[in-house]
């Protein structure tokens, strides 16, 4: 193990001190470092101490990257105090830093460290004598020194500090091409996202929300239920609590969300739209936590190290929103809560076993008069889900393996509480990643699962409704199994290929359907700042409800849904840390069970039934310009120009959710003294009217455009120099209090626009991080 550090002295001409860099890559499986980082006068050198536990054979020895360039980092001008930033760097086999991300640390220190790291050069990691790409962690330590008035100050004495935590080296490839990573740091500073990376999906190009604040998005024309939400590759039946509420999983558990709006890698599957794959934050094996108290709920998360190898993480949220809800609707009661618990144990330097349990509850009820003149409480909406996951991970000599077993229980309540749909599920999955030399990285896996659905109609009296529920959600057991094989190839400088395929078998109520899928994604770097990205994929999915709800997947019925996805774009790194993206996309959709995308046209021959399948397409242009929101001045601009059409029976026309223009942008500014403000604006053009005639359906009128402003103000107070703080946060979704046009219904002579809201979500709360 070697410890890398850079020392500097104050710049007396500008009176701006320099950062002290203590970056310690640790060879996690083979070496143990015991060293102490200290501040040294400029020009001095320190020799790291390292103690080898075991000496592997030379052909298996993994040597971490070695810093070759100057590692000095300028201390941020607007900052004060000491700080530590943990960076995650992806270093290619040529020694260049391909990406840098702050895993911990606060702006402006984190932004300064990230920008500096992108210019560093390394001697690449080696396995034996073969250079390989590597993902490493660096600890950057900023220390503010007192300003010196003399041009030649006397050398200062070393100032001892605590040893840095172990920084592990993991040999991996670069992040998958054609994906957009949404970090928690971005979500924390995005007004209206309330710190949740999944909620920040709305800011991505190609995403069309069904309703402001609602957790349902159309992505490149695919309906909300065709967008796969995953957490550690485990399917999430819901993302947010009722009434545009917070996330069902504490945001501090989600390190980032990798968003694939189009073709996605073979390891994911069974969704005909995009994929939003959340990555669980790895245990830190040290005491830390977060807490938040707002006007309508409270949440918290804490990690407790039980021993050197065992860590327990507990989190959850509980609501007390009724006093606020009763101000606007006295007859309405709102209740939600969630929980998370994870126990992780390192069996050895290469093996880890974890148990993860999480769940959520939502209830929306209304008190109304009953037929006898009394009062009764009706269930307007109810949803519950619970998950239990057991996972074993092993770090291999040239990759990693993972085996996962999971079980769950989902339930949705509808029709005034009379209808209850439940799903008891089980899953077994195995994944393997393996590197073949410096150019190839293989991924393979298999999984199998079952879903046992039950339907209880209770006191539902309407015969037609009972028949509809029984037809769409019959009691049954569905079984699915699949295998996948994917590869990433980087054999030529500047060219990266990601391709693969999967094969799934679906069985439900005596029916069997086969789902072969494939994708290829190519990324060509024309220069260090310009990349071309091209993707093509075929995807399949079982039937789905109009919007995703726990336990409410329809039976296989008329077969699988299908999608052919194609995209081509460029990515350009600009001065001032700006990034520009432009993408053309074309998606063809077949056999869709998309109930809310099809116009209800009475064409006289009953060719369009409630459960009719549809075909369609979506094509358009996505533009994105962004600069880190955590920078002193940051922001983004996102624009989508698109057309989505549907056809079913004899009806053909724009999809009911089709918005030609979707524009979103945000600005955030860090004023100093722990004050950070931000504002986000969103504009949507109108959606088509639900017309009653075939001819009018081809070019229907549209609702009025809609726009809103979201705001965020934060003031932080540091607690010592450990990075802990407490903060006061004011955040409002739809500060402008605008009503949102929802749809337009047209008869023979009259069109009537229906609006909802104003849907405004204010949040005033105290947050603490330690």
């Amino acid at each position: 193990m070697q410890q890398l550090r850079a020392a500097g002295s104050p710049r007396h001409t500008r009176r701006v001190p320099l950062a002290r860099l203590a970056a310690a890559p640790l060879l996690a499986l083979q070496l143990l470092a015991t060293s102490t980082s200290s501040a040294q006068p400029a020009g001095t050198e320190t020799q790291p101490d390292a103690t080898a536990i075991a000496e592997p054979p030379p052909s298996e020895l993994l040597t971490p990257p070695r810093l070759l360039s100057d590692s000095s980092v300028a201390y941020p001008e607007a900052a004060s105090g000491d700080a530590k930033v943990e960076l995650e760097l992806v270093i290619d086999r040529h020694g260049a830093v391909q990406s840098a991300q702050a895993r911990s640390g606060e702006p402006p220190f984190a932004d300064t460290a990230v920008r500096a790291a992108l210019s560093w050069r390394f001697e690449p990691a080696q396995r034996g004598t073969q250079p390989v790409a590597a993902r490493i962690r660096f600890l950057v330590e900023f220390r503010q020194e007192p300003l010196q008035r003399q041009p030649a100050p006397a050398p200062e004495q070393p100032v001892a500090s605590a040893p840095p935590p172990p920084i592990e080296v993991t040999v991996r490839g670069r992040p998958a091409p054609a994906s957009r990573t949404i970090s928690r740091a971005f979500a924390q500073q995005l007004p209206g996202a309330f710190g949740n990376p999944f909620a920040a999906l709305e800011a991505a190009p190609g995403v069309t929300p069904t309703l402001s604040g609602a957790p349902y998005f159309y992505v490149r024309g695919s309906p909300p239920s065709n967008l796969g939400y995953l957490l550690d590759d485990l399917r999430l039946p819901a993302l947010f609590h009722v009434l545009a509420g917070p996330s069902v999983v504490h945001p501090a558990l989600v390190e980032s969300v990798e968003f694939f709006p189009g073709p996605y890698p073979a390891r994911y599957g069974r969704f005909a739209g995009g994929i939003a794959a959340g990555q669980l934050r790895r245990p830190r094996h040290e005491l830390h936590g977060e807490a938040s108290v707002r006007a309508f709920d409270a949440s918290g998360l804490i990690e407790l190290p039980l021993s050197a190898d065992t860590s327990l993480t507990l989190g959850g949220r509980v609501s007390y929103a009724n006093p606020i809800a009763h101000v606007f609707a006295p007859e309405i009661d709102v209740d939600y809560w969630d929980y998370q618990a994870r126990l992780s144990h390192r069996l050895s330097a290469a093996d880890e076993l974890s148990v993860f349990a999480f769940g959520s509850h939502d209830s929306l009820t209304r008190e109304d008069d009953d037929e006898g003149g009394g009062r009764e409480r009706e269930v307007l909406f109810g949803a519950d889900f619970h998950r239990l996951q057991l996972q074993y991970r092993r770090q291999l000599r040239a990759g990693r393996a993972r085996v996962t077993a999971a079980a769950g229980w989902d339930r949705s309540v509808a029709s005034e509480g009379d209808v209850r749909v439940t799903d008891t599920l089980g899953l077994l999955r195995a994944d393997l990643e393996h590197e073949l030399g410096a150019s190839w990285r293989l991924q393979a896996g298999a999984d199998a699962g079952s879903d046992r659905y039950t339907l209880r109609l209770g006191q539902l009296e309407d015969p037609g409704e009972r028949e509809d529920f029984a037809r769409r959600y019959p009691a049954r057991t569905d079984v699915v199994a699949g295998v996948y094989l994917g590869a990433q190839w980087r054999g030529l400088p500047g060219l990266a290929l990601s391709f693969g395929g999967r094969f799934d078998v679906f069985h439900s109520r005596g029916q069997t359907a086969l789902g072969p899928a494939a994708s290829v994604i190519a990324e060509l770097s024309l220069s260090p700042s310009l990349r071309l990205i091209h993707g093509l994929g075929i995807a399949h999915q079982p039937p789905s409800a109009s919007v995703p709800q726990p336990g409410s997947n329809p039976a296989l019925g008329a077969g699988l849904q299908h999608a052919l996805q194609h995209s081509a774009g460029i990515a350009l790194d600009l001065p001032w840390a700006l990034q520009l993206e432009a993408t053309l996309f074309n998606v063809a959709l077949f056999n869709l069970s998309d109930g809310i995308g099809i116009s209800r046209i009475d064409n006289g021959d009953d060719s369009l039934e409630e459960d009719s399948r549809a075909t369609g397409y979506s094509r358009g242009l996505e533009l994105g310009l962004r600069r880190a929101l955590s920078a002193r001045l940051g922001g983004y601009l996102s624009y989508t120009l698109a057309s989505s059409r549907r056809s079913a029976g004899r009806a053909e026309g724009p999809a009911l959710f089709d918005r030609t223009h979707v524009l979103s942008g945000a600005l955030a500014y860090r004023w100093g003294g722990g004050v950070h403000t931000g504002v986000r604006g969103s504009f949507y053009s109108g959606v088509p009217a639900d017309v009653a005639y075939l001819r009018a359906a081809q070019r229907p009128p549209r609702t009025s455009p809609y726009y809103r402003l979201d705001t965020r103000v934060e003031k932080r107070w540091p607690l010592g120099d450990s990075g802990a703080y407490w903060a006061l946060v004011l955040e409002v979704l739809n500060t402008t209090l605008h009503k949102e046009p929802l749809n337009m219904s047209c008869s023979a002579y009259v069109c009537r626009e229906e609006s909802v809201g104003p849907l405004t979500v204010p949040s005033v709360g105290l947050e603490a991080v330690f």
Side-chain angles (χ1 to χ4, degrees):
M1 205 285 297
Q2 91 188 95
Q3 178 166 336
L4 305 176
R5 65 178 306 281
S9 58
R11 295 181 180 177
H12 307 293
T13 56
R14 296 180 56 194
R15 293 185 178 271
V16 178
L18 288 180
R20 306 284 180 133
L21 177 69
L26 177 70
L27 191 55
L29 305 184
Q30 300 168 345
L31 300 178
L32 175 65
T34 56
S35 59
T36 301
S37 172
S38 62
Q40 298 288 341
T44 63
E45 296 183 359
T46 59
Q47 295 297 329
D49 297 325
T51 303
I53 294 181
E55 185 67 27
S59 61
E60 301 179 6
L61 180 63
L62 180 63
T63 305
R66 183 171 65 89
L67 187 64
L68 299 176
S69 60
D70 179 19
S71 58
S72 298
V73 184
Y75 190 95
E77 297 186 9
S80 62
D82 299 339
K84 295 180 181 180
V85 176
E86 183 182 327
L87 295 177
E88 183 173 270
L89 308 180
V90 176
I91 302 171
D92 65 19
R93 63 190 184 97
H94 304 291
V97 178
Q98 295 295 324
S99 67
Q101 180 180 353
R103 292 177 57 88
S104 65
E106 300 301 322
F109 299 103
D111 309 314
T112 302
V114 167
R115 287 193 297 268
L118 292 173
S119 64
W120 294 343
R121 295 291 301 182
F122 288 81
E123 181 180 297
Q126 290 185 332
R127 177 174 290 111
T129 60
Q130 181 70 34
V132 293
R135 188 188 300 269
I136 70 172
R137 297 183 187 178
F138 265 59
L139 183 68
V140 181
E141 186 172 345
F142 291 87
R143 297 181 183 176
Q144 185 179 27
E145 299 174 348
L147 295 177
Q148 304 291 335
R149 297 184 179 274
Q150 301 299 325
E156 57 180 324
Q157 296 297 319
V159 179
S161 63
I167 308 298
E168 62 185 42
V169 177
T170 304
V171 177
R172 295 178 183 170
R174 286 183 57 193
S179 67
R180 297 164 181 162
T181 300
I182 302 173
S183 66
R184 192 189 175 213
F186 175 83
Q188 282 181 310
Q189 303 300 330
L190 180 64
F194 303 102
N196 180 19
F198 282 107
L201 287 174
E202 185 182 350
V207 177
T208 302
T210 55
L211 185 68
S212 294
Y216 310 120
F217 307 116
Y218 281 88
V219 177
R220 293 182 178 176
S222 296
S225 54
N226 287 21
L227 174 61
Y229 298 110
L230 308 175
L231 183 61
D232 207 24
D233 289 347
L234 194 63
R235 185 185 68 201
L236 288 177
L239 278 182
F240 305 101
H241 287 293
V242 67
L243 293 180
S247 169
V248 296
V249 176
H250 197 286
L253 270 175
V254 182
E255 181 174 338
S256 63
V257 173
E258 199 168 12
F259 177 45
F260 296 88
Y264 48 80
R267 64 176 296 180
Y268 308 115
R270 301 170 188 160
F271 287 96
I275 293 290
Q279 305 300 323
L280 277 177
R281 186 177 294 273
R282 304 296 300 153
R284 291 164 53 177
H285 293 276
E286 62 181 19
L287 179 63
H288 71 96
E290 297 187 14
S292 173
V293 178
R294 304 191 296 179
F296 43 84
D297 64 23
S299 65
L301 180 137
I302 186 170
E303 180 177 348
L304 302 169
L306 303 182
S307 69
D309 296 314
T310 306
S311 174
L312 176 64
T313 303
L314 301 173
R317 184 186 305 272
V318 62
S319 71
Y320 37 83
N322 279 332
I324 296 178
H326 290 169
V327 173
F328 302 96
E331 72 281 5
I332 296 294
D333 277 355
V334 181
D335 180 43
Y336 59 84
W337 48 259
D338 59 65
Y339 66 91
Q340 303 89 41
R342 180 177 63 183
L343 181 65
S344 302
H345 178 67
R346 289 187 293 222
L347 302 172
S348 69
D351 301 87
E352 182 182 68
L353 185 66
S354 65
V355 180
F356 182 36
F358 63 102
S360 170
H361 165 79
D362 287 275
S363 175
L364 182 66
T365 62
R366 178 180 60 191
E367 190 176 43
D368 205 350
D369 296 330
D370 60 18
E371 296 180 355
R375 305 287 290 178
E376 65 176 357
R377 185 155 296 278
E378 302 175 351
V379 178
L380 302 180
F381 173 79
D384 300 85
F385 78 86
H386 305 275
R387 292 289 185 273
L388 178 63
Q389 180 192 65
L390 176 65
Q391 188 172 92
Y392 168 73
R393 294 172 177 259
R394 179 171 179 81
Q395 189 72 36
L396 305 175
R397 187 178 65 182
R400 59 178 179 174
R402 183 180 64 175
V403 178
T404 304
W409 184 82
D410 301 348
R411 181 183 66 178
S412 288
V413 182
S415 294
E416 301 179 356
D418 290 328
V419 178
R420 296 173 183 263
V421 183
T422 62
D423 175 17
T424 304
L425 59 96
L427 170 71
L428 184 63
R429 177 179 178 127
D431 300 274
L432 174 67
E433 293 185 17
H434 185 73
E435 290 189 6
L436 297 176
S439 303
W440 287 93
R441 179 186 176 197
L442 300 181
Q443 295 178 324
D447 71 316
S450 67
D451 294 83
R452 182 176 179 272
Y453 295 95
T454 61
L455 174 66
R456 198 189 79 178
L457 297 178
Q459 302 300 317
L460 188 64
E461 297 179 355
D462 190 314
E465 288 190 22
R466 295 180 68 92
E467 182 181 350
D468 288 342
F469 274 109
R471 184 181 70 252
R472 290 182 61 82
Y473 307 105
R476 67 194 190 278
T477 297
D478 292 351
V479 178
V480 61
V483 295
Y484 74 87
L485 177 64
Q488 292 184 5
W489 178 75
R490 297 182 180 272
L492 296 176
L495 177 62
L497 292 179
S498 176
F499 52 92
R502 64 178 298 123
F503 188 83
D504 294 302
V505 179
F506 305 87
H507 183 80
S508 176
R509 304 188 75 197
Q511 291 181 265
T512 299
L514 306 181
S519 66
V520 57
I521 304 170
E523 181 177 317
L524 177 63
S525 297
L526 301 181
S527 72
S529 59
L530 178 61
R531 301 181 303 279
L532 302 182
I533 304 173
H534 200 96
L536 180 65
I538 301 174
H540 309 277
Q541 178 180 348
S544 53
S546 297
V547 294
Q549 294 184 32
S552 60
N553 290 325
L556 189 58
L560 301 177
Q561 307 175 79
H562 314 284
L564 176 62
Q565 305 167 327
H566 176 225
S567 64
I570 64 170
L572 179 63
D573 297 330
L574 299 173
W576 305 296
L578 290 170
Q579 293 180 312
L580 174 67
E581 292 181 355
T583 304
L584 293 170
F585 67 88
N586 188 6
V587 179
L589 304 164
F590 307 96
N591 206 35
L592 284 176
S593 58
D594 177 19
I596 61 177
I598 308 169
S599 179
R600 296 286 173 256
I601 300 173
D602 182 9
N603 52 33
D605 61 1
D606 295 328
S607 66
L608 186 61
E609 301 294 339
E610 179 69 24
D611 55 356
S612 293
R613 296 299 183 96
T615 60
Y617 69 83
S618 181
R619 56 181 64 128
L621 169 67
E622 302 168 353
L623 296 175
L625 179 67
R626 65 180 182 271
R627 188 172 190 265
L629 288 178
S630 55
R632 180 72 180 266
L633 175 62
Y636 80 91
L637 187 64
S638 172
Y639 172 68
T640 303
L641 172 67
S643 173
S644 297
R645 301 185 71 84
R646 291 285 192 271
S647 62
R650 299 192 319 174
E652 191 276 333
L656 289 183
F657 63 86
D658 178 57
R659 298 186 189 269
T660 306
H661 307 280
V662 177
L663 178 65
S664 175
L667 280 176
Y669 189 74
R670 188 166 296 278
W671 299 87
V675 177
H676 190 271
T677 59
V679 60
R680 175 172 62 160
S682 301
F683 171 85
Y684 314 140
S685 59
V687 296
D690 192 357
V691 297
Y693 297 96
L694 290 173
R695 186 180 300 274
Q698 298 177 5
R699 293 182 178 273
R702 292 177 177 262
T703 62
S704 304
Y706 168 76
Y707 72 91
R708 74 170 198 268
L709 290 178
D710 310 325
T711 55
R712 186 179 188 276
V713 179
E714 178 185 17
K715 166 61 179 174
R716 290 187 181 183
W717 290 268
L719 301 175
D721 57 359
S722 63
Y725 66 88
W726 72 278
L728 177 64
V729 180
L730 169 63
E731 191 165 4
V732 182
L733 176 76
N734 191 15
T735 311
T736 43
L737 300 177
H738 284 166
K739 291 186 176 182
E740 184 169 357
L742 186 60
N743 56 52
M744 178 181 288
S745 299
C746 295
S747 60
Y749 304 103
V750 178
C751 287
R752 184 183 63 182
E753 181 176 288
E754 299 178 3
S755 299
V756 64
L759 180 58
T760 297
V761 182
S763 173
V764 181
L766 294 174
E767 298 181 357
V769 176
F770 63 92

